[in-house]
Amino acid sequence: MRGPLTPKVTVAGAINLESVDGSPAELVGGGVYAACASAGIAKTKLIGSFGGDVSGSALFELMSQMDIDASEIFTFKSHRTFKWSIHYSSDRQEVLSETREYGDYESMIPDPAPFSTSVLLLASGHPFHHQAVLDRLMKEEETFIMLDTKAVHLLKRSADVQRILPHCHVVFLNEEELVTLMDVFHFQSADQIFGSFVKLQMIIIKQGDRGGTAILRQGKRLNYKAAIPYAGVKDYTGAGDFFAGTLAAMIANRARSSLSDIISVDTLKQSAEAAARSIGYVGAAKCVQLLNSKKGVCYEKIEN
C-alpha cells in the first residue's frame, strides 16, 4: 500500500454492491473502477464509503493489489450499502431489468482534513459526496478537476451539480446526459456551456460502441472510435468509469502540458481500450484484468 505521498490522481466516487445476471454481489462501483483504471498509470487514491452491512475485506485486498491508497475509504457501520443489479439478454445487447436499492445515508466523508492532488476525478457518485470532497481540496487553483455525472443527478440534484460545474475543467457525458444537461440548464450549444463555466476546457461525449467526441473550448473536436474486446461482452457496467480513470491518469502524468497538447485521438483511443477491456469481465475481475493488460497480458484493438 502506498504511503502518505501526495497522489497524482484522487478519485472520489461510488462504492456499492453490484450483481450481474444473478452473480454474487461484489463491493465495487464507479469510484472503484475509475481508481483501478488510473492506478495502472499514475499514483492513485480513492475516497469513498459504504455501509456496515457488508464486509470490505475483498475491496481492501483489491486496493492493495492495485496499489491504491485506501486510507479514505470509510465504513458507516450502522447504515446500509447502495445495491444495484442488472440482467442482460442472452446476446448482451439489451438490458432486461435493472434494480436499485438505495442505502440509507448520503455519501458523507467523516474526515474533514484538507488534501491536495494533481488531478481530482469526481467519478460516478452522489453530488453531495463530490461537494464534500471539493470543500476539503487545498490549492484548487493548482488542481485539474474532472466530473463524471449522471442524468439522474442532473434531473434531481441540478442545483448541487450546478454548484460543482464551475470548479471543473473536464466533464464526461453520455448522449442522454448531454441532452439532460442542455435541457435542465437551457443550453442551446456547446459554446453556451463553455460560456457559462469559465474553467471548463473540454466536454467528452461518450457514445458507447460508436466511440465518442471530445469538444475543446477552442472549438476543436476530436472523434474517437470504440475498441473491440477480445474477451467478448460480459457486462457494460463501469466502462465509462474506466475511460475516465485512464484519461485522468494520462493528464496527471503530463500536468505541465496544456490540455490541447495532451488530448489527441491516440490519447482518447487508449482510454477507449481500457473501457473495452472492462466489458469483457464482471465486477472486480474487470480491475484485475486491467492490471494484467498493463503488464502485456491482454490488449484490445481499436477499429480502423
Side-chain angles (χ1 to χ4, degrees):
M1 189 75 67
R2 288 190 175 100
L5 295 175
T6 301
K8 283 191 173 183
V9 178
T10 297
V11 177
I15 300 175
N16 49 259
L17 283 167
E18 292 184 2
S19 173
V20 177
D21 288 332
S23 64
E26 292 185 274
L27 194 60
V28 281
V32 175
Y33 294 143
C36 288
S38 170
I41 303 169
K43 184 155 60 79
T44 301
K45 179 178 186 175
L46 175 59
I47 300 176
S49 57
F50 57 92
D53 55 342
V54 60
S55 169
S57 58
L59 173 64
F60 286 108
E61 182 178 347
L62 176 64
M63 295 295 97
S64 178
Q65 182 179 1
M66 301 296 291
D67 199 17
I68 294 170
D69 182 344
S71 60
E72 289 197 45
I73 297 179
F74 303 105
T75 305
F76 289 88
K77 294 190 180 296
S78 60
H79 297 278
R80 297 191 306 272
T81 304
F82 174 86
K83 298 177 182 179
W84 178 84
S85 63
I86 190 168
H87 289 269
Y88 292 103
S89 59
S90 58
D91 61 4
R92 321 305 287 175
Q93 297 302 306
E94 183 182 0
V95 175
L96 299 180
S97 66
E98 186 176 359
T99 60
R100 292 177 171 86
E101 182 181 333
Y102 289 94
D104 58 353
Y105 67 95
E106 302 279 20
S107 295
M108 296 178 66
I109 303 301
D111 185 358
F115 72 98
S116 58
T117 185
S118 296
V119 173
L120 173 61
L121 172 57
L122 302 172
S124 299
H126 199 286
F128 190 93
H129 178 193
H130 291 162
Q131 187 63 60
V133 173
L134 276 172
D135 290 343
R136 297 173 48 213
L137 182 62
M138 297 172 61
K139 300 180 180 178
E140 182 179 326
E141 69 280 1
E142 299 177 11
T143 305
F144 195 86
I145 301 173
M146 310 171 77
L147 173 65
D148 191 358
T149 189
K150 291 184 174 294
V152 64
H153 295 142
L154 289 166
L155 285 169
K156 296 185 177 181
R157 300 279 182 172
S158 59
D160 296 328
V161 176
Q162 192 168 21
R163 282 192 291 271
I164 293 167
L165 280 168
H167 299 273
C168 300
H169 298 89
V170 174
V171 175
F172 298 92
L173 301 164
N174 62 28
E175 290 174 292
E176 177 192 5
E177 291 157 356
L178 176 63
V179 170
T180 304
L181 175 74
M182 298 185 75
D183 182 54
V184 169
F185 297 121
H186 308 294
F187 294 131
Q188 299 299 317
S189 66
D191 287 340
Q192 283 192 345
I193 300 175
F194 284 116
S196 297
F197 305 110
V198 296
K199 287 181 67 174
L200 188 62
Q201 297 181 31
M202 181 170 66
I203 301 167
I204 294 185
I205 304 168
K206 301 173 292 184
Q207 297 172 295
D209 59 7
R210 291 177 290 122
T213 301
I215 307 173
L216 279 75
R217 174 173 284 276
Q218 303 92 323
K220 182 179 180 181
R221 289 175 177 253
L222 296 172
N223 297 313
Y224 64 91
K225 294 183 179 180
I228 305 170
Y230 283 161
V233 176
K234 301 288 178 59
D235 175 28
Y236 293 100
T237 309
D241 304 305
F242 278 95
F243 183 100
T246 301
L247 189 61
M250 288 192 286
I251 290 173
N253 279 344
R254 297 182 59 186
R256 296 183 179 180
S257 302
S258 68
L259 188 64
S260 59
D261 290 336
I262 299 171
I263 300 300
S264 65
V265 171
D266 285 340
T267 307
L268 297 168
K269 280 182 178 180
Q270 289 180 58
S271 300
E273 287 170 358
R277 282 190 287 274
S278 77
I279 67 178
Y281 303 90
V282 174
K286 298 172 182 286
C287 306
V288 176
Q289 291 301 321
L290 184 70
L291 178 63
N292 289 339
S293 71
K294 302 293 184 185
K295 299 175 180 176
V297 175
C298 174
Y299 281 97
E300 279 66 37
K301 292 180 179 178
I302 292 287
E303 296 177 332
N304 295 316

